[in-house]
């Protein structure tokens, strides 16, 4: 850095954070687990086609990537996948199973040998898929969720719990897969077996509910021959969402329920008595987009490791006897819903505004019970994998602000505001910065406050970013989440607009240089904003939903095929609402430039949505660009794709806002 601060207009600041650098750091470690004493996890490889590999932390502390390209550890069950691997130690050697993305088969991995398939292929529809494996070495099996397509349609599918032999005998023989449950429910999670091996518990739900609307906690007896007998509902229901369940060492069934309006922990004892373990107005659970997500993990000591919080999440240790939680010390302000425990060791994945997601270990061994006097932290947390390695001087990172705004009727709106920031450059004193509102996907999700080089790509050039956790977002209780019921395309649009207007009113942002962008459900909010408001000068729409009626009647995958019944309303009862809110039905209302980005392999928001929208826009003479990427699905994973996305987006803003970013290819806008 130089000593002299230079004055240049917003959007023209030179930045060392280029698109290639941001793309190389996209994605993060996921799905931590123990294999004996070792910690393993999955990691992205954007420059290797966007695949994910298995990584182990060896005894010497070194990290080793275990599977070369093209192996890709990722499940497609419910398309969003979930826990794709499991491991233990047998005869002194790692015994690991994983799902390979390309063929969705379950494989067995041994060090030094090629992975061996455990499950067969199927030619029907999307084939056979697996997720949330639980190793049962005592039975020489792995128990998991089986998703089986019965036809070519996206909803021609069944899901059951199944046992797969570890000896490979089912690799060519579908009949060798032992089904553990009947098709009582449309959706299930993997079974968790009690410490004594006598009971199994899992979650289940049915259309039209999504798992954050209502789920059932099912418990069954495990017989001596390894079958599940007399499944029964222990908790949950149509209006109660149970996000996770697991067994404590003493046989207590612990689960996270939102029956009070917050996902809190409860314990169902062996005697059948239930009690609240920690009653708080904060979340100890979240939306189950990926099967096998973990917000808590019981320890042998009787304590429970928890990922919890309100808005942001912390890693803590809960004493279920007192209800006290003591959080781990450290710089991390956000933890992903993945946890693994071994003895007194706890492993999760944490991040902060100054660091991307890292594998973090908390050692609770020195403490039998957490001392809550004065809120002192328990144990010692440290990074043990995927450590933050600053690719540029952190002085270029954005400095976010946690803000609460107010929308219609005074309702609160949570947001993260990232002002333009550069260590060596400022703008002329009379210039206000351009701002881009980011609408997250889901929409039942949340934008975490973590270091994202895609945001830094813009802020370090002099473009502000505002991430809006609009009504419907998770992390703020069920009432906040339910604001979007039948209001999708209204509340999300209003909340994003309220934040943008407030930033302009207070003199933070230039009212004439506001943009909006988002992917998936955020792409919907962006497109809906461009067709219903005149607030934004342009927008970037990524892999969006644009046509509600088609998307809600057979054009998307099974998991979300009835999502709109709650987000918009019953299609059979309010068809006019579907048409009125769909951007594809009102393409003529778009008068500002936009960029539309789509993966051609996307089965969640298929390219047909974009194609119909563009066809209806024909003749409107609105400057726009449409870029479709071969080999990309829902959410871009390849480095080459992400480079083009960022550079095209920046070029759009440069042309519309009158900016001059150095070294950026010009996006050609058609009319």
């Amino acid at each position: 850095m130089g000593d002299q601060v230079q004055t240049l207009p917003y959007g023209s600041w030179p930045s060392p954070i280029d698109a290639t650098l941001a793309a190389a750091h996209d994605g993060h470690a996921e799905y931590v687990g123990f294999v004996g004493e070792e910690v393993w996890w999955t990691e992205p490889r954007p420059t290797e086609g966007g695949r994910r590999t298995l990584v182990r932390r060896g005894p010497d502390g070194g990290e080793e990537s275990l599977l070369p390209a093209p192996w890709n550890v990722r499940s497609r069950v419910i398309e969003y996948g979930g826990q794709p691997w499991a491991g233990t130690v047998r005869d002194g050697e790692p015994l690991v199973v994983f799902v390979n993305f390309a063929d969705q088969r379950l494989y067995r991995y041994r060090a030094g040998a090629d992975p061996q398939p455990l499950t067969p292929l199927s030619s029907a529809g999307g084939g056979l898929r697996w997720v949330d494996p639980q190793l049962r070495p005592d039975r020489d099996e792995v128990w998991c969720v089986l998703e089986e397509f019965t036809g070519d349609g996206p909803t021609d599918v069944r899901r059951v719990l199944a046992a797969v032999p570890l000896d490979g005998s089912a690799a060519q023989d579908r009949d060798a897969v032992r089904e553990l449950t009947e098709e009582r429910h449309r959706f299930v999670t993997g079974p968790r077996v009690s410490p004594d091996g006598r009971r199994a518990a899992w979650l289940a739900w049915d259309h039209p509910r999504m798992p954050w609307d209502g789920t059932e906690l099912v418990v069954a007896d495990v017989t001596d021959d390894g079958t599940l007998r007399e499944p029964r509902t222990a908790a949950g229901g149509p209006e109660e969402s149970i996000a996770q369940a697991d067994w404590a060492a003493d046989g207590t069934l612990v689960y996270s329920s939102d029956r009070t309006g917050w996902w809190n922990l409860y314990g169902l004892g062996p005697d059948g008595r239930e009690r609240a373990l920690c009653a708080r107005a904060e979340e100890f659970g979240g939306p189950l987009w990926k099967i096998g997500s973990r917000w808590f993990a019981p320890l042998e000591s009787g304590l429970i490791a928890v990922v919890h919080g309100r808005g942001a999440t912390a890693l803590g240790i809960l004493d279920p006897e007192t209800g006290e939680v003591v959080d781990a010390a450290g710089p991390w302000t956000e933890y992903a819903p993945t946890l693994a425990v071994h003895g007194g060791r706890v492993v999760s994945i944490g991040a902060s505004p100054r660091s991307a997601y890292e594998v973090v270990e908390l050692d609770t061994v020195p403490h039998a019970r957490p001392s809550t006097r004065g809120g002192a932290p328990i144990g010692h947390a440290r990074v043990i994998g995927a450590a933050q390695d600053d690719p540029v001087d952190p002085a270029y990172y954005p400095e976010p602000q946690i803000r609460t705004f107010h929308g219609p009727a005074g309702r609160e709106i949570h947001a993260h505001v990232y002002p333009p920031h550069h260590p060596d450059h400022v703008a002329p004193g009379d210039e206000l910065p351009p701002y881009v509102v980011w609408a997250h996907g889901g929409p039942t999700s949340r934008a975490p406050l973590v270091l994202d080089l895609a945001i830094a790509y813009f802020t370090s050039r002099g473009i502000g970013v505002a991430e809006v956790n609009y009504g419907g977002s998770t992390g703020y209780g069920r009432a906040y989440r339910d604001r979007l019921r039948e209001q999708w395309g209204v509340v999300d649009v209003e909340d994003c607009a309220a934040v943008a207007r407030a930033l302009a009113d207070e003199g933070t942002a230039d009212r004439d240089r506001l943009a909006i962008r988002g992917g998936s459900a955020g792409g919907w909010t962006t497109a809906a904003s461009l067709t219903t408001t005149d607030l934004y000068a342009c927008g970037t729409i990524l892999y969006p939903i644009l046509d509600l009626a088609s998307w809600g009647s057979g054009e998307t995958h099974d998991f979300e095929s009835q999502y709109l019944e709650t987000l918009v309303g019953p299609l059979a009862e309010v068809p006019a609402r579907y048409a009125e809110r769909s951007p594809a039905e009102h393409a003529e209302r778009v008068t500002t430039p936009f960029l539309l980005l789509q993966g051609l392999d996307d089965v969640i928001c298929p390219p047909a949505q974009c194609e119909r929208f563009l066809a209806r826009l024909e003749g409107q003479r609105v400057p726009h660009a449409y870029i479709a990427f071969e080999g990309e699905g829902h959410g871009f994973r390849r480095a080459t794709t992400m480079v083009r996305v960022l550079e095209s987006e920046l070029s759009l803003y440069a042309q519309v806002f009158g900016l001059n970013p150095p070294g950026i290819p010009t996006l050609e806008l058609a009319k």
Side-chain angles (χ1 to χ4, degrees), residues 185-536:
H185 297 283
R186 188 72 173 185
F187 302 96
V188 290
T189 63
R192 301 294 185 269
V193 178
S194 61
D196 63 5
R198 303 287 297 275
R199 292 178 295 166
W202 64 93
L203 305 182
W205 67 98
D206 295 287
H207 283 143
R209 287 176 282 150
M210 298 300 282
W212 42 86
D213 296 324
T215 55
E216 295 178 27
L217 172 55
V218 182
V219 179
D221 298 323
V222 181
T223 65
D224 292 341
D225 62 358
T227 59
L228 300 181
R229 187 182 61 195
E230 299 179 5
R232 55 217 180 258
T233 299
E239 300 297 326
E240 178 184 353
S241 170
I242 295 179
Q244 185 198 335
D246 210 340
W247 300 91
D250 66 356
T252 296
L253 181 55
V254 182
Y255 56 92
S256 173
S257 165
D258 73 347
R259 65 181 61 160
T260 64
W262 298 88
W263 274 301
N264 281 185
L265 294 188
Y266 298 84
L268 184 63
D271 59 0
R273 296 175 63 183
E274 180 189 71
R275 66 185 183 93
L277 302 183
C278 184
R280 292 189 179 192
E282 59 179 85
E283 309 284 31
F284 290 76
L288 197 63
W289 281 103
K290 297 181 178 182
I291 294 175
S293 296
R294 297 190 82 185
W295 291 270
F296 70 87
L299 291 154
E300 293 175 0
S301 64
L303 304 174
I304 303 173
V306 291
V307 170
H308 71 106
R310 187 169 183 162
T313 51
L315 174 63
I317 301 296
L318 164 66
D319 184 341
E321 297 301 320
T322 65
E324 296 291 337
V325 180
V326 181
D327 290 335
W332 309 281
T333 55
E334 186 74 38
Y335 282 86
T338 180
L339 274 172
V341 296
H342 179 71
R345 298 164 65 194
V346 178
V347 175
S348 187
I349 294 177
S352 78
R354 308 297 288 176
S355 61
Y357 287 95
E358 307 172 289
V359 181
V360 177
E361 179 172 331
L362 172 63
D363 189 356
T364 68
V365 170
H367 305 263
R369 292 278 177 187
S371 171
T372 57
R373 294 176 183 172
I378 176 174
H380 174 67
R382 62 193 178 103
V383 176
I384 62 164
Q388 170 75 14
D389 182 16
D390 293 312
V392 298
D393 189 326
Y396 290 93
Y397 294 163
E399 297 180 348
Q401 304 163 358
I402 301 172
R403 298 282 305 272
T404 301
F405 296 89
H406 291 90
R411 67 175 181 248
E412 287 190 346
I413 307 165
H414 302 287
H416 305 145
V417 177
Y418 296 82
H421 176 76
H422 195 291
D424 296 332
H425 287 82
V426 295
D430 58 350
E431 186 185 4
L432 291 175
Y435 258 81
V436 184
V437 170
W438 283 32
H440 65 69
T444 310
S445 185
R446 176 174 61 86
L449 188 69
V450 301
L451 177 63
D452 183 345
L453 291 189
I455 292 177
Y457 177 79
F458 293 103
T459 57
S460 62
R461 285 171 169 77
I463 300 172
V465 170
E467 288 187 306
V468 182
N469 283 320
Y470 47 80
S473 300
T474 49
Y476 307 98
R478 179 146 187 160
Y480 195 87
R481 196 163 83 237
D482 283 349
R483 283 185 191 172
L484 213 54
R485 278 183 172 255
E486 300 199 8
Q487 296 298 311
W488 197 38
V490 178
V491 164
D492 50 324
V493 170
E494 290 176 347
D495 286 2
C496 287
V499 171
R501 288 194 186 97
L503 291 174
D505 289 346
E506 70 187 26
T508 297
D510 186 340
R511 187 179 302 275
D512 296 325
R513 294 192 294 177
L514 297 171
I516 185 168
R517 67 97 75 180
S520 189
W524 153 270
T525 300
T526 298
S529 297
L530 296 184
T531 57
T532 59
T533 77
D534 59 1
L535 182 62
Y536 306 102

Side-chain angles (χ1 to χ4, degrees), residues 75 94 181 267 284 507 513 538 586 588 616:
S75 169
T181 58
F284 290 76
R513 294 192 294 177
C538 61
H586 304 288
E588 76 283 352
R616 291 168 184 173

